[in-house]
Amino acid sequence: MLNHNIKAALSSLDLRAVLFDMDGVLYDSMPFHAKAWVYAFAQEGVTFSDYDVYMREGMTGSSTVEEVFLAQLNRRATEEDCQRIYRVKSDYFESLGEAGEMPHVDEVLSCVKANGVDRYIVTGSGQRTLFDKLEHSYPEMFDKRQMVTAYDVKKGKPDPEPYLMALKKGGLQPNQAIVVENAPLGVRSAVAAGIFTIAVNTGILRNEELEKEGANIVYPSMKAFAEDIPEIISLAKK
Ligand code: MG
């Protein structure tokens, strides 16, 4: 349900593109990332919960290890620590197999495309085969030139750089885009880039974690967002 203030804010946009985060938005991959991080830290004798993983989604692997070492082991992580733990995490993640598509996001994508609004991907992921995977899951929905990945930016989320880079690639102003995110640090990045931000809580966090980062709307599920997307587009597109 869109309230009056949200409708007014959407009406002030000149929507040209929707910028989609990937993990936890297009793919239901966060449960696997959580399992893998918890496992990797357990090998070091460090207690780390699923909740801890979801709160840090978007940070680089090294930043995650550095922060946790300081907080729990009271020492700085070396580069070797970061590489060792991240390797264990990545191997375990791979062993879990491919994460599935997020239910109901195909309805969102189809509605955006049918209205002639561009789709961008903005992710901290750096998989070389990313585009092939996307094309398989969501045929003809994305364009290679309309992606920002780990290879495009120096600073990842929560820095605004990834979303600013997407605007730059598209020759877009902040009011010509909407971001779809699931993670607190992703919301922070998008809000800092000055873009209208929709958070979809597809994981285990409380909605407040997304609200307090400044999301314009927080949906409790992808299904709830998919129900509103036609109205959102019709208000935001001139
Ligand atoms: Mg995400």
Side-chain angles (χ1 to χ4, degrees):
M1 264 326 120
L2 300 172
N3 70 32
H4 175 76
N5 287 347
I6 289 171
K7 284 184 182 173
L10 284 166
S11 300
S12 73
L13 301 179
D14 170 23
L15 185 66
R16 309 286 174 91
V18 178
L19 317 181
F20 291 91
D21 169 53
M22 191 177 72
D23 284 297
V25 171
L26 298 179
Y27 292 100
D28 194 12
S29 45
M30 283 308 295
F32 289 3
H33 283 294
K35 264 200 178 84
W37 273 119
V38 170
Y39 174 83
F41 277 121
Q43 305 310 300
E44 307 284 324
V46 172
T47 308
F48 202 59
S49 69
D50 285 17
Y51 194 85
D52 294 328
V53 179
Y54 276 79
M55 283 303 287
R56 285 169 182 75
E57 186 194 343
M59 279 173 85
T60 64
S62 296
S63 306
T64 302
V65 174
E66 282 164 10
E67 196 203 283
V68 171
F69 264 53
L70 273 181
Q72 287 208 33
L73 303 179
N74 225 349
R75 71 170 176 91
R76 294 185 75 90
T78 63
E79 204 176 315
E80 201 215 326
D81 292 325
C82 293
Q83 284 178 8
R84 180 183 66 256
I85 296 169
Y86 192 66
R87 197 178 310 120
V88 171
K89 185 262 171 180
S90 299
D91 289 349
Y92 194 87
F93 180 78
E94 300 266 309
S95 79
L96 295 170
E98 292 265 311
E101 288 92 21
M102 183 64 71
H104 300 287
V105 78
D106 55 335
E107 297 157 34
V108 175
L109 291 168
S110 299
C111 178
V112 171
K113 187 178 180 182
N115 282 282
V117 174
D118 276 340
R119 286 84 47 209
Y120 283 71
I121 304 260
V122 182
T123 177
S125 172
Q127 300 168 48
R128 296 275 173 200
T129 56
L130 195 58
F131 185 75
D132 295 338
K133 187 177 161 188
L134 282 164
E135 195 56 23
H136 178 77
S137 302
Y138 306 107
E140 293 175 35
M141 202 51 82
F142 297 104
D143 183 312
K144 261 189 183 140
R145 291 161 299 185
Q146 296 177 334
M147 291 175 65
V148 175
T149 71
Y151 302 110
D152 295 297
V153 294
K154 287 196 191 73
K155 293 177 243 168
K157 303 169 188 177
D159 192 274
E161 188 187 10
Y163 283 109
L164 291 173
M165 179 74 71
L167 295 179
K168 195 174 162 198
K169 282 195 179 193
L172 299 161
Q173 296 301 313
N175 73 328
Q176 294 178 319
I178 286 178
V179 166
V180 182
E181 263 287 350
N182 71 304
L185 298 182
V187 169
R188 192 188 299 174
S189 165
V191 168
I195 307 171
F196 189 97
T197 303
I198 296 173
V200 186
N201 191 358
T202 61
I204 61 173
L205 299 178
R206 289 169 294 143
N207 289 347
E208 295 86 85
E209 310 287 5
L210 298 159
E211 278 156 12
K212 74 183 179 205
E213 293 294 350
N216 297 84
I217 316 179
V218 178
Y219 284 100
S221 68
M222 191 58 77
K223 188 166 187 283
F225 175 42
E227 282 163 11
D228 274 1
I229 189 71
E231 190 184 1
I232 290 170
I233 303 276
S234 79
L235 286 166
K237 201 184 166 210
K238 287 290 152 311

